[in-house]
């Protein structure tokens, strides 16, 4: 189906053309007509599905032209990075309109944000805390908001933002259109939906719990003493172009980043102890290819749109099964294929079992060929799940009966 059939205005179609989108993604096909028809929607699509344009295009269409009444579209995001990214996407989509937007988050000065309000804006993309500050200081009013988007609602809940979100929603007119995106719908979000939305339609793409279908994912059982060595060996042997390494803790992420730098990998690190400027520099550098490895904690796992990540390495198995899905969603975005490799220690067995239950899928255990493994119980656990014979993705069956990952060249 071509974009032109959706009934969007020509400046928006021009932007879509410029972005190189040839046809709408499934979530766009489903969501755009509902939003154009003025319905409230609940979306459970994963990030990487074209979600931002799915709500952005029809809302920008409804906004039409710049109006001096103040913000008419408010988008709430759980993290600064997501706010910045969504703001950039909307700027691209609205390029050929005269609509004006501002991104509002903490950790930076207030004045530039206030200046933007004074000059007149149609769109605010914000994290809840800073937006509330502005509202308390009466620097901004939400009384003309006609469209509200609550993005990654479950993440905002996890981060303790729900009371702030409710306060903000309370400042918006009751007569408005609301869209809510959430990978999961826990009872608190159900409550929010009942309170904040009017007769919503649900659009769901694929199975809510299934990880991005284009991603191939495998487990590498290993002894704790060899974890670092195995990660380095994987980086040497697996054919990758850009990779995100996920760690469970900030200190762990710093440690891994230091190790990678010692081994001459161009690595950057992103977690919540780093300043906004440092986080942005790391992300920009990674996007532009100045860093080949981005080491991150789960704060970076959700929603960040980083194109062409070929591999995700879970240096630590994530604590929560949902985070596994979010982490591996960084690769295989918008139909490109990518790989997700998870290092697994003996003690990780219950976490892995929880993930496999969550995604309704057994994850294949593999062994890196040529790596000098020390014994660990987890290696026996892996053996039970190893597939018997054959070839996988060009990999060969290793001596132990595991599949060896396809060895390949590293870029450069
Ligand atoms: P999102 O789910 O909004 O984070 O989008 C993921 C990526 O898909 C972004 O890089 C978008 O630019 C891209 N994208 C969105 N819509 C389309 C489309 N119709 N065709 C191709 N790429 C798209």
């Amino acid at each position: 189906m071509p974009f032109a059939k959706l009934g969007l205005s020509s400046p928006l179609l021009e932007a879509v053309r410029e972005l190189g989108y040839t046809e709408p993604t499934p979530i766009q096909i489903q969501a755009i007509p509902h939003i154009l028809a003025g319905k409230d929607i609940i979306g459970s699509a994963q990030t990487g599905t074209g979600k931002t344009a799915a709500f952005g295009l029809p809302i920008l269409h409804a906004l039409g032209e710049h109006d001096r009444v103040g913000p008419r579209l408010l988008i709430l995001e759980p993290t600064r990075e997501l706010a910045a990214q969504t703001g950039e996407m909307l700027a691209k989509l609205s390029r050929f309109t005269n609509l004006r937007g501002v991104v509002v988050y903490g950790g930076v000065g207030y004045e530039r944000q206030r200046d933007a309000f004074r000059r007149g804006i149609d769109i605010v993309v914000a994290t809840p805390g800073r937006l509330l500050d502005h509202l308390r200081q009466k620097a901004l009013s939400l009384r003309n908001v006609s469209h509200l988007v609550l993005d990654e609602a479950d993440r905002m809940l996890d981060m303790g933002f729900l009371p702030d979100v409710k306060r903000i929603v309370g400042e918006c007119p009751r007569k408005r259109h609301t869209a809510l995106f959430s990978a999961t719908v826990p009872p608190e979000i159900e409550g929010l939906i009942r309170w904040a939305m009017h007769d919503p339609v649900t659009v769901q793409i694929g199975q809510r719990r299934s990880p991005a279908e284009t991603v191939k994912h495998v487990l590498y059982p290993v002894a704790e003493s060899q974890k670092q060595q195995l990660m380095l060996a994987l980086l040497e042997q697996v054919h990758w172009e850009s990779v995100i390494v996920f760690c469970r803790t900030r200190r762990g992420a710093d440690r891994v980043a230091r190790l990678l730098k010692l081994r001459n990998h161009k690595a950057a690190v992103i977690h919540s102890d780093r300043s906004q400027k440092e986080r942005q520099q790391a992300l920009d550098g990674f996007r532009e290819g100045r860093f080949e490895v981005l080491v991150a904690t789960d704060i970076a796992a959700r929603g960040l749109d980083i194109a062409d990540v070929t591999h995700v390495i879970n240096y630590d198995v994530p604590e929560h099964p949902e985070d596994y899905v979010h982490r591996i969603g960084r690769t295989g975005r918008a139909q490109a294929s990518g790989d997700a490799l998870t290092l697994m220690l003996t003690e990780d067995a219950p976490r892995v079992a929880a993930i496999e239950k969550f995604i309704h899928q057994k994850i294949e255990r593999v062994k890196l060929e040529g790596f000098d493994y020390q014994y660990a119980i987890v290696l026996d656990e892996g053996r039970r799940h190893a597939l018997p014979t054959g070839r996988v993705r060009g990999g060969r069956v290793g001596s132990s009966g595991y599949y060896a990952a396809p060895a390949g060249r590293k870029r450069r």
Side-chain angles (χ1 to χ4, degrees), residues 11 65 95 102 118 155 177 190 264 287 320 332 343 353 358 372 378 388 405:
E65 300 205 340
R95 247 192 91 182
V102 63
R118 280 188 215 112
R155 185 64 168 174
H177 303 288
E190 264 172 29
N264 290 325
R287 282 202 183 104
H320 305 292
L343 304 191
F358 187 73
D372 191 12
V378 69

Side-chain angles (χ1 to χ4, degrees), residues 3 16 19-25 27-28 46-55 85 89 92 303-307 333-335:
F3 266 103
V16 162
L19 282 164
Y21 302 170
T22 47
E23 53 183 31
T25 64
I27 176 97
Q28 291 163 0
Q46 294 161 21
T47 51
T49 53
K51 182 178 67 164
T52 317
F55 67 77
Q85 182 181 297
M89 189 74 215
K92 286 180 190 157
L304 285 186
D305 178 23
I306 300 170
R333 296 179 67 82
Q335 270 82 57

Side-chain angles (χ1 to χ4, degrees), residues 93-113:
L93 295 174
S94 61
R95 247 192 91 182
F96 300 105
T97 72
N98 63 356
L99 292 167
R100 300 183 198 166
V102 63
V103 180
V104 167
Y105 50 68
V108 295
Y110 285 79
E111 204 43 45
R112 276 174 64 173
Q113 296 172 359

Side-chain angles (χ1 to χ4, degrees), residues 34-68:
H34 285 306
I35 300 179
L36 283 176
K39 295 291 287 181
D40 280 6
I41 72 156
I42 301 169
S44 64
Q46 294 161 21
T47 51
T49 53
K51 182 178 67 164
T52 317
F55 67 77
L57 286 168
I59 298 179
L60 293 172
H61 175 93
L63 295 184
E65 300 205 340
H66 173 63
D67 190 326
R68 294 165 57 176

